[in-house]
Amino acid sequence: MFLTKVLLVFCALKLANHQPLNCTHVDLKGLHYELLLTHLIEMESRLQTTLQEIAQNQSRQLEELKLRASACGSPSLALETTGRISTLLPGRKQIQFHRETISGIGSDRTVDGEWVLFQWRFNGSLLFNRNWREYRAGFGDTDGEHWLGLENLHQILATGRNELLIVMENFQGSTVYAHYDMFSIGTELERYAIKTIGKYRGTAGDSLSFHIGSKFTTYDQDNDVHASNCATLYNGGWWFKDCYSCFLNGDYIPTPQNQNVEKGLIWVSFTGPFSSLKSSKMMVRQRSS
């Protein structure tokens, strides 16, 4: 049946191009010519969509393999992605999230264990210059680049005491981290402001303390203290102040370069203000004590 349909489509193409036909094995009697062409267009559209999905999935899997290979090749850092997990948040529907397993960052073993990943950047495949509604709800696929959502993050942090871990890599292959032993944000009415971050330890330097008390800003929700909207200036939502000392939701810069402009994924104490990161992961977990 499928081969017959293919042959009919082939015959229709021949008719459209006014080329000789040799379709003696197909009964075209009573077949509407325009219907064939419409069917052909629909098939082509579905095929293009499928091919795009396959290409995106292969790209995502390749990037994950690169990240894992990089982690396995370094004696100071081991990251393991354990897949998509469902969890029931307090008073809310189930959400999907990625669980990341950390096994050794330098000589610091206190951050070993499982973490809930709420931000992931590594190839620029996902646009992060989004409006308030999207940053609130979350966007992207948890198997690739994504933002879990401010409301989901607030609900996770609302239970017990939580800590924050940020792992970053530059284009020279150096991987660093920033760990804060207490992390909480406000409600939507409080514009998800950073309330506490606790004590810092790590190898990236402390660029987040500058943002304590800062509300979240997007291009359609200006909650920073700058004269202009920082999200509009730097193309992404963040806990901007005036404007930032770190900013991991900016435009993705795909090549290592010092662009002499403040653009990209920036952690000033590690990258400086003009050099963008290759990747970043932001994750949280409830403290055991």
Side-chain angles (χ1 to χ4, degrees):
M1 183 63 181
F2 175 75
L3 292 176
T4 302
K5 288 185 177 180
V6 172
L7 187 54
L8 288 173
V9 171
F10 174 75
C11 294
L13 286 173
K14 289 288 189 180
L15 284 172
N17 293 319
H18 305 289
Q19 296 180 10
L21 290 174
N22 184 14
C23 303
T24 56
H25 297 293
V26 181
D27 183 9
L28 294 175
K29 185 176 180 180
L31 188 61
H32 200 288
Y33 177 68
E34 292 185 0
L35 183 61
L36 267 178
L37 292 181
T38 300
H39 185 60
L40 176 62
I41 292 171
E42 291 176 352
M43 288 179 63
E44 181 181 10
S45 177
R46 289 197 297 268
L47 178 61
Q48 290 293 336
T49 300
T50 301
L51 289 174
Q52 290 175 0
E53 291 175 350
I54 291 173
Q56 291 173 355
N57 185 54
Q58 288 178 335
S59 175
R60 182 171 63 233
Q61 290 178 348
L62 179 61
E63 290 296 334
E64 287 190 25
L65 286 173
K66 288 179 179 178
L67 286 172
R68 292 181 188 182
S70 175
C72 291
S74 171
S76 62
L77 174 65
L79 300 179
E80 179 185 352
T81 301
T82 55
R84 187 182 291 182
I85 307 294
S86 294
T87 186
L88 186 62
L89 294 178
R92 293 176 57 82
K93 62 180 182 180
Q94 282 191 331
I95 65 165
Q96 301 287 334
F97 64 85
H98 232 100
R99 191 182 295 279
E100 195 83 3
T101 300
I102 302 295
S103 179
I105 297 181
S107 59
D108 183 359
R109 311 297 300 196
T110 61
V111 298
D112 284 3
E114 291 186 333
W115 295 78
V116 174
L117 192 64
F118 72 88
Q119 187 257 27
W120 192 9
R121 310 288 305 277
F122 59 88
N123 65 2
S125 60
L126 186 65
L127 178 68
F128 270 67
N129 190 18
R130 306 254 181 166
N131 61 32
W132 180 266
R133 178 184 58 80
E134 291 172 294
Y135 266 102
R136 179 190 183 279
F139 51 87
D141 187 332
T142 55
D143 279 340
E145 291 200 333
H146 69 277
W147 175 262
L148 191 60
L150 287 164
E151 186 59 30
N152 289 330
L153 179 60
H154 173 258
Q155 293 292 331
I156 291 172
L157 297 176
T159 304
R161 299 176 65 185
N162 293 268
E163 53 190 328
L164 170 69
L165 178 65
I166 305 170
V167 178
M168 296 162 275
E169 181 187 5
N170 64 17
F171 283 94
Q172 289 71 45
S174 296
T175 300
V176 296
Y177 76 100
H179 172 245
Y180 298 90
D181 66 3
M182 191 180 302
F183 182 56
S184 64
I185 63 174
T187 65
E188 184 175 17
L189 289 176
E190 297 169 304
R191 298 299 181 258
Y192 300 111
I194 294 178
K195 290 192 169 185
T196 57
I197 61 172
K199 295 180 180 179
Y200 161 83
R201 79 159 53 88
T203 55
D206 178 13
S207 287
L208 188 61
S209 291
F210 173 82
H211 296 268
I212 294 176
S214 297
K215 300 175 182 178
F216 204 89
T217 287
T218 57
Y219 64 75
D220 60 338
Q221 275 264 13
D222 187 0
N223 299 312
D224 59 54
V225 297
H226 194 274
S228 300
N229 184 324
C230 294
T232 300
L233 292 175
Y234 296 107
N235 298 332
W238 192 249
W239 292 279
F240 288 114
K241 191 175 182 179
D242 187 26
C243 280
Y244 65 82
S245 177
C246 62
F247 175 41
L248 301 180
N249 287 343
D251 292 328
Y252 189 85
I253 309 299
T255 56
Q257 59 181 343
N258 190 311
Q259 59 267 17
N260 294 320
V261 293
E262 297 180 37
K263 185 177 182 180
L265 284 60
I266 306 296
W267 192 271
V268 172
S269 58
F270 174 54
T271 63
F274 305 123
S275 185
S276 183
L277 290 160
K278 179 182 178 182
S279 68
S280 68
K281 290 184 175 183
M282 304 182 71
M283 51 196 103
V284 294
R285 71 178 179 187
Q286 191 166 346
R287 292 182 56 177
S288 58
S289 60

